[in-house]
């Protein structure tokens, strides 16, 4: 991202004025801005439900952590002279992952997370 972040809300943005005791829910992914008119105390509670990316990367990390090869130090990545050998080694690791992932199922991914299913 090379462009600067916006410094004002876009045209057509909705404005809400809250009064003492008010509550405003802002859904995930919505840009917003706040301004206090005078003395104010604001409390922000953030609850972020996991995304598919969160679930998949947790499962991927758990699966890779089982492998001695993936747990080894990634030697050579910071040295231009060793970069070719490091890339070859990483290609080998990725090759094994390519063979493994087609056998994954949604249950495998969900089981690798810390989330417990809720009882019905």
């Amino acid at each position: 991202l090379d462009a600067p972040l916006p410094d004002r809300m876009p045209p057509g943005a909705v404005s809400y004025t809250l009064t003492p005791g008010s509550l405003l829910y802002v859904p995930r992914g919505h840009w917003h801005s706040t301004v206090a008119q005078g003395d104010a105390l604001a409390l922000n509670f953030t609850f972020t439900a996991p995304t598919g990316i969160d679930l998949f990367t947790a499962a991927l990390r758990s699966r890779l952590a089982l492998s001695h090869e993936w747990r080894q130090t990634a030697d050579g990545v910071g040295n231009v002279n060793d970069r070719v050998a490091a890339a070859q080694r990483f290609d080998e690791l990725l090759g094994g992952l390519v063979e493994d992932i087609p056998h994954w199922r949604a249950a495998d991914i969900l089981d690798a997370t810390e989330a417990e299913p809720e009882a019905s």
Side-chain angles (χ1 to χ4, degrees):
L1 177 67
D2 295 329
L5 292 173
D7 59 1
R8 67 181 71 88
M9 295 303 289
V14 178
S15 179
Y16 298 94
T17 301
L18 303 181
T19 57
S22 294
L23 172 79
L24 177 65
Y25 170 73
V26 181
R28 165 187 257 160
H30 288 334
W31 283 88
H32 61 282
S33 172
T34 60
V35 176
Q37 304 293 328
D39 292 338
L41 172 65
L43 298 176
N44 296 303
F45 296 95
T46 303
F47 172 76
T48 305
T51 64
I53 292 169
D54 297 327
L55 296 177
F56 184 76
T57 56
L60 179 61
R61 182 170 177 75
S62 294
R63 187 69 163 238
L64 296 182
L66 298 173
S67 166
H68 170 73
E69 290 81 14
W70 277 99
R71 290 191 317 269
Q72 290 179 351
T73 302
D75 292 327
V77 296
N79 182 331
V80 69
N81 297 323
D82 297 331
R83 189 70 176 218
V84 172
Q88 289 173 339
R89 178 67 186 128
F90 206 75
D91 278 337
E92 292 172 14
L93 292 171
L94 290 173
L97 188 59
V98 166
E99 292 174 15
D100 188 34
I101 285 182
H103 305 287
W104 286 26
R105 299 295 170 256
D108 299 330
I109 293 170
L110 296 175
D111 288 346
T113 67
E114 295 178 16
E116 294 286 330
E118 293 181 8
S120 300

